[in-house]
Every structure is written in structure tokens, then in C-alpha cells.
Amino acid sequence: MMATAALSNPTAEPTPLAGLARALVQHQILRPDQAVGIQRQADAGQRRFIDELVAGSMVSARQLARFAAETFGHPMLDIASVDLARIADDLIDRKLASETRVIALGKRGTRLSVAISDPTDLQALDRIKFQTQCTIDPVVVEHDKLIKILERREKSVNQQMADLAEEGLGQDLDAMETAAVTIDTTAEVDDAPVVRFLQKMLTDAIEAGASDLHFEPYEKFYRIRLRIDGELREFAQPPLAIKEKLASRIKVISRLDISEKRVPQDGRMKLALSPTRAIDFRVSTLPTLFGEKIVMRILDPSSAKLGIEALGYDDDQKKLLLDAVSRPYGMVLVTGPTGSGKTVSLYTCLNILNKPGVNISTAEDPAEINLPGVNQVNVNDKAGLTFATALKAFLRQDPDVIMVGEIRDLETADISIKAAQTGHMVLSTLHTNDAPTTLTRMMNMGVAPFNIASSVIMITAQRLARRLCTCKDVLDLDEDALTVAGFKDADLDGSWQAFRPVGCERCNGSGYKGRVGIYQVMPITDEIQRIILTNGNAMQIAEQARREGIRDLRRSGLMKVMRGLTSIEEVLGVTNE
């Protein structure tokens, strides 16, 4: 750590050394002339000694933190490993924290722990002690990391202020931040700045390609997160004081009860982006400890009109699916977890079948995508309009195609199967892991094996994997690693190359942009029907499907890897084997 070149001017007046500079000289980390030179440069630039020392690379920030902790008897902490979002933001005034270059770490009784890179800065510690009326316990951290966090905080606050001012919220910001009373929501829901702020959040989310928005209140902060390509990302942290206004505005336009905050509520709203395009939002509220969390699902009607080619089905899978839905009667089931794209797949099929000579009725909870030409019904359990009730009514409405949002119970399953057996095409969803387990799930519900075998004609299981961005790079793996991942010996012929995510400005550094579907399309053949009729289990059905050449989800995902659409780790993450 010893430096070799003197930085001081030998003809200048001696500069007194104190604090950290004196300690470094006393422990022979710096020579006196070096310390004096650094101090003079700092004074000339109106900076601090520690700034000049670290910037000049005479002592690294890591070495300096270790030295200060050992010399002055304070604990040392890697502040980059601390989740500062979980720490109360009001322990130290923001302006004072920025001026003294400290970050509050926690408070216990009258003792306040603070992160600081120069524990000899007694003036800063005294100011904090005076402002908080607490005993200060310094914790030494690396100077460069501390400065980066402080700059990021300052930038975040300034950006929020600029954004809010741009949207008209700036004029109310000071009053809102200092107000400690509950806002009268009935009087504030028409507040124009809040309206503009919400509109900006929604349009930005649509432009970012998000599928969901999360408005989340916590004790000390309020944040908005977006789910983009299946991953939640923090989008904004507006002032905590607007949470009531924002929640009330969302509830008003979603036709929810703004006076009811004790129970969850569900609603819908629509945002007109242009005279020819409008986006629907499914709104769900949930009471939490510090206010109502609101999640908004973005429902883009254009997604149902993308066409089956855009969903990512392989050619043979697409042919099987189209053949199944074009049959005059039978049941086609789409399975997968929440958020796997089941609704889009179903509506794509409905859009194919939606012709002037076809009567289509759907029962959903709620109807997510508005499709002209289709008779859509929202189930309402409180009013007695259940899936089963709607299905019974459909059968008296001369239907050709019936879509049931989800088969949840035996009654709904029985009526759906009877509809499929009496000359109707029935489309529906179940929450199962793959196609074979769907059949055993229906048996567990109590559906007779004969009814399943005679009505279900196809089951499609699906997942959504993130699509690699154009910044992807070649991934070099040996044959053993590829075999462990699930590739067969016949695949390793050198005709394809695996890729890995890199990250660029277009994909916000994630390496992924958009998503691609992974499917298991399993027609119910005569052999599979025999297994069902003999009360066979999911393993027997899966084995028979493999013998018939039906690819499972893992195999379908690996084929997407071979085509360069996604990465191996993404496929392994969304599929089981």
C-alpha cells in the first residue's frame, strides 16, 4: 500500500494533519509529505481527504475500510450486501445524510447504527447525534460503495421529483410528504395530477411489454413493479403519501367500492390508447398491513389475433391442435400454471373458429379478452351464476362451441363432458403440470373414466420461456453437459449451437426479450383411451405418449434451444423431468 511519489510541494507552508490522514501517517501507510499533498489537493478542489485519497488510488477503498475499522475499533460491513429497502428511510433526514455521507442501518432504543467510510469525521457524527438525539454507533464501509449508494439515492429522489413535477404532482408534493393525516378519498379521487400519474404508469407499462402492474404499500415506502417477460422488476417509488389517492382512483375507474378496504375486490377498467385501440385491465385489490395492494393484469385483445403461428407451436403440434379444434364435437383441454399463456391459446383457437356460421359462448371468471362475435359471460358466484349454471344455460342457447374458463369441480366437469358428448366442441383449462396428469386429475375429481375417454380428444400443456435477445452469444458446452441437460445422442451432430444471454440496452441488461411458448400436445389415441378405461395412472399415460412420439415439455423446450430461441437454463427452469 506504500506509495512511491511525493505529492506535496516542498516549498509550501506545512499543512496540519488530523483524523484519518494523521492515522495513516502514524501507521506508516502514507508518508507525511504524501498525506500533506493529498490534503492540499482536496482543499484546492473543495473535496474531502478521503475522496482525494481513494480517487488517487494510493489506498484502495477496501484496504482503507479495513484499516479504519481495525484502528478505531469499529465493526466493518459490506454495504453492498445490505437490503437498504428494508431499512426505515426516516431515521436520518435525507439532506443531512447526503451532507454527512452516512446511511442509517438501524435503530435499537436510543442507539443508532450508521454506515460511514471515515469514522474520524466527528463533525458529521455530532450533527447526526444532535438531529436524532441518539447515541451513534459507526459502522465502517467502503468509501466507493457508500458514495455510489448515496448518488443513486439522490438520483432516484431527483428523478421521482422530476417525473412527478412533469405529471403535475410536483405542486402537491411538499404538502403530501409532510401530511400525516388520512386522505379523504371521496374528495381526492378526481385529483388531476393523480389521474395523469396513473395514466403515465399504465401507458409506460404497456410500452414496456408488461403483463402485470403491482402497486405495493409498505410502512416506509411505496413501490410500483412490472412483470416483464415473466419477471417482476421495480419500476417506480412514488411518494408514500399518494398511496391512498392512487388506490382510490384505481378503484373508482374499476367500479369498485372505495369505502371498502377490509376485503379483497375484483374489477375491470379500460384504457383507450387511440381511437382504434383500447387495453383492458383486470384489477384485484388485497388489504395488507399498510394499505391496499393492487395488481392489474394487462389484457390486450390484439394478442388473441396474433394467429397460431405466433404462439410458438412446432409445425406438427400446430397441425394436431388445428385438427382437434376443427372437429364437430369433443373436448380440448389446455393446462399449465397461472401466467403460462392458457388464455391466449384458448382465444387464438376461438378466433380461428369465430365465423358467421358458428355460435360460440364462453363462461369466464372474468372474461379477460373481448372478442367480437363471441357471447362472453362473467360468472358471479354471489349472484348464483356459476360455471355450471352458465353451462346449463349455454346448452339451451343452440351452441356450436363452448369455452369454460376453468374446470374446478365435478359438476362443471360433468356438464362440460356431457356437452362434448352431445355434439358440441368444448374448450377449457385445468391447473395441472403436464398433459398426462390432467387425465388422472379429472379421475380424482370423480369423473368416470368412460366419460373421459369418450369426450376428451386432446390435451395441451404449456409453459412460457423467456426468448433470447439479439445480443445472445454462443455457449460452449461439452457433450456430457448437453447430455445431462436432456439432449439425445442424435441431437449432438454439430448442426446447431446453444446460446446464452448477454444483456444490452434493448433488453435492459437481462439478455432476454419477449417470451416463447413450450408445448406438449397430446391427442387421446385409442391406446391412451384403453389406459384410461382400465384406471391407468399418469406414468402409464406418459409412457404411452412417448411411444407414440409425443414430446414432453422438457423435450419441446430443448428443441427451442436447438433453434436458438431460448437458453438451456431457461428451459430447465420452467420444465420438470
Side-chain angles (χ1 to χ4, degrees):
M1 288 191 293
M2 290 292 295
T4 56
L7 300 177
S8 61
N9 182 353
T11 62
E13 292 294 326
T15 299
L17 297 175
L20 189 61
R22 178 185 294 176
L24 289 167
V25 171
Q26 288 176 344
H27 287 77
Q28 299 180 351
I29 305 298
L30 293 177
R31 297 195 306 270
D33 60 323
Q34 291 176 319
V36 169
I38 294 171
Q39 184 65 64
R40 285 178 176 169
Q41 288 184 4
D43 293 341
Q46 295 185 334
R47 303 176 68 193
R48 304 187 189 190
F49 176 84
I50 192 170
D51 293 327
E52 204 68 41
L53 177 64
V54 174
S57 301
M58 301 201 70
V59 179
S60 72
R62 179 76 176 172
Q63 292 170 327
L64 186 62
R66 188 180 293 113
F67 166 78
E70 293 174 355
T71 302
F72 300 106
H74 298 302
M76 180 179 170
L77 174 71
D78 181 5
I79 196 169
S81 65
V82 179
D83 184 2
L84 298 176
R86 295 180 175 269
I87 298 173
D89 201 27
D90 59 352
L91 295 178
I92 302 176
D93 178 74
R94 283 181 178 179
K95 184 177 180 182
L96 179 61
S98 178
E99 291 175 353
T100 56
R101 307 224 279 199
V102 299
I103 294 177
L105 295 176
K107 183 179 179 182
R108 177 170 293 182
T110 59
R111 305 192 72 88
L112 178 66
S113 297
V114 299
I116 189 169
S117 57
D118 183 1
T120 66
D121 191 350
L122 301 181
Q123 183 180 5
L125 297 175
D126 287 342
R127 289 180 64 187
I128 297 170
K129 181 179 180 180
F130 178 80
Q131 188 254 334
T132 61
Q133 294 298 300
C134 291
T135 301
I136 306 302
D137 294 327
V139 177
V140 180
V141 298
E142 295 165 55
H143 183 69
D144 54 351
K145 294 181 179 179
L146 176 68
I147 296 301
K148 284 181 180 179
I149 292 174
L150 289 170
E151 288 177 348
R152 189 160 60 244
R153 277 188 167 187
E154 190 71 24
K155 181 179 179 181
S156 175
V157 171
N158 291 338
Q159 186 62 46
Q160 288 179 23
M161 296 282 282
D163 290 345
L164 293 169
E166 178 185 347
E167 296 303 316
L169 282 168
Q171 57 191 355
D172 300 327
L173 191 56
D174 293 337
M176 287 194 296
E177 285 193 332
T178 55
V181 297
T182 302
I183 299 172
D184 180 5
T185 56
T186 58
E188 299 290 348
V189 291
D190 291 327
D191 189 289
V194 172
V195 174
R196 290 196 295 269
F197 178 73
L198 177 60
Q199 175 127 354
K200 185 176 189 300
M201 291 293 102
L202 298 182
T203 53
D204 286 351
I206 293 169
E207 291 174 1
S211 61
D212 301 86
L213 291 95
H214 292 238
F215 296 82
E216 301 172 316
Y218 297 95
E219 184 178 11
K220 298 298 182 180
F221 67 97
Y222 185 65
R223 72 178 177 184
I224 299 173
R225 293 193 292 174
L226 303 182
R227 187 175 293 280
I228 301 174
D229 297 337
E231 286 194 336
L232 274 175
R233 305 175 189 176
E234 186 168 309
F235 185 63
Q237 279 200 20
L240 181 62
I242 74 167
K243 67 178 182 180
E244 297 290 346
K245 285 185 174 184
L246 207 51
S248 296
R249 177 61 187 171
I250 293 172
K251 291 168 75 173
V252 164
I253 58 182
S254 304
R255 298 182 180 179
L256 302 178
D257 185 357
I258 65 172
S259 64
E260 181 56 78
K261 303 179 181 179
R262 299 166 298 175
V263 296
Q265 298 186 66
D266 294 300
R268 293 178 70 93
M269 58 166 285
K270 184 185 292 286
L271 177 65
L273 298 178
S274 69
T276 59
R277 188 187 180 201
I279 301 292
D280 290 323
F281 294 83
R282 188 181 69 196
V283 181
S284 173
T285 71
L286 179 69
T288 66
L289 287 177
F290 305 107
E292 288 181 286
K293 175 181 177 179
I294 298 176
V295 175
M296 305 178 71
R297 167 67 58 87
I298 300 175
L299 308 171
D300 188 355
S302 62
S303 61
K305 301 177 182 179
L306 293 174
I308 195 168
E309 293 79 10
L311 298 183
Y313 284 93
D314 294 331
D315 290 339
D316 57 335
Q317 294 176 333
K318 180 172 64 176
K319 184 179 184 304
L320 289 172
L321 181 61
L322 291 176
D323 288 345
V325 298
S326 63
R327 290 169 66 172
Y329 58 87
M331 178 181 285
V332 174
L333 297 173
V334 180
T335 74
T338 301
S340 61
K342 299 188 299 296
T343 300
V344 172
S345 292
L346 281 178
Y347 270 94
T348 300
C349 293
L350 288 179
N351 198 48
I352 294 171
L353 298 173
N354 188 14
K355 299 174 183 177
V358 180
N359 180 22
I360 303 176
S361 296
T362 73
E364 302 167 78
D365 185 21
E368 296 191 356
I369 298 174
N370 180 23
L371 197 59
V374 174
N375 306 291
Q376 297 173 275
V377 174
N378 280 334
V379 300
N380 187 340
D381 291 334
K382 292 182 180 178
L385 181 57
T386 63
F387 280 117
T389 305
L391 279 171
K392 290 176 182 177
F394 288 166
L395 294 177
R396 296 189 291 271
Q397 291 276 319
D398 185 30
D400 296 303
V401 178
I402 296 173
M403 195 269 271
V404 185
E406 182 183 352
I407 295 178
R408 299 175 178 172
D409 51 51
L410 177 58
E411 184 180 13
T412 305
D414 275 339
I415 300 173
S416 300
I417 284 173
K418 288 174 183 175
Q421 291 172 336
T422 54
H424 307 95
M425 171 55 64
V426 179
L427 308 176
S428 189
T429 70
L430 272 88
H431 285 90
T432 56
N433 290 327
D434 58 14
T437 56
T438 303
L439 297 169
T440 55
R441 168 83 174 107
M442 295 183 74
M443 293 182 197
N444 292 337
M445 278 186 182
V447 181
F450 171 79
N451 285 331
I452 298 174
S454 63
S455 59
V456 179
I457 59 175
M458 171 166 287
I459 302 175
T460 297
Q462 65 183 72
R463 298 290 188 275
L464 288 177
R466 290 181 295 171
R467 186 187 293 267
L468 284 168
C469 180
T470 52
C471 62
K472 63 186 178 182
D473 194 12
V474 172
L475 175 65
D476 291 324
L477 288 177
D478 56 31
E479 290 189 0
D480 291 340
L482 293 173
T483 302
V484 170
F487 290 100
K488 301 177 181 178
D489 292 339
D491 298 330
L492 308 179
D493 57 3
S495 62
W496 58 276
Q497 180 64 60
F499 292 90
R500 63 178 180 86
V502 177
C504 64
E505 185 176 340
R506 181 172 178 268
C507 60
N508 292 321
S510 68
Y512 298 94
K513 185 71 173 177
R515 289 193 282 181
V516 61
I518 297 175
Y519 302 93
Q520 179 186 23
V521 180
M522 187 180 79
I524 307 302
T525 61
D526 293 341
E527 288 299 323
I528 293 179
Q529 284 182 338
R530 289 191 184 95
I531 296 174
I532 297 171
L533 291 172
T534 56
N535 292 310
N537 57 37
M539 294 179 62
Q540 292 172 309
I541 297 171
E543 181 59 35
Q544 178 60 34
R546 273 194 290 271
R547 284 196 293 267
E548 295 177 1
I550 303 301
R551 295 187 295 277
D552 59 15
L553 288 167
R554 172 63 61 83
R555 180 63 185 165
S556 295
L558 293 178
M559 291 186 68
K560 296 288 193 299
V561 172
M562 294 170 67
R563 290 161 56 188
L565 297 176
T566 188
S567 63
I568 294 176
E569 59 262 34
E570 185 69 9
V571 170
L572 298 181
V574 300
T575 62
N576 288 328
E577 188 174 57

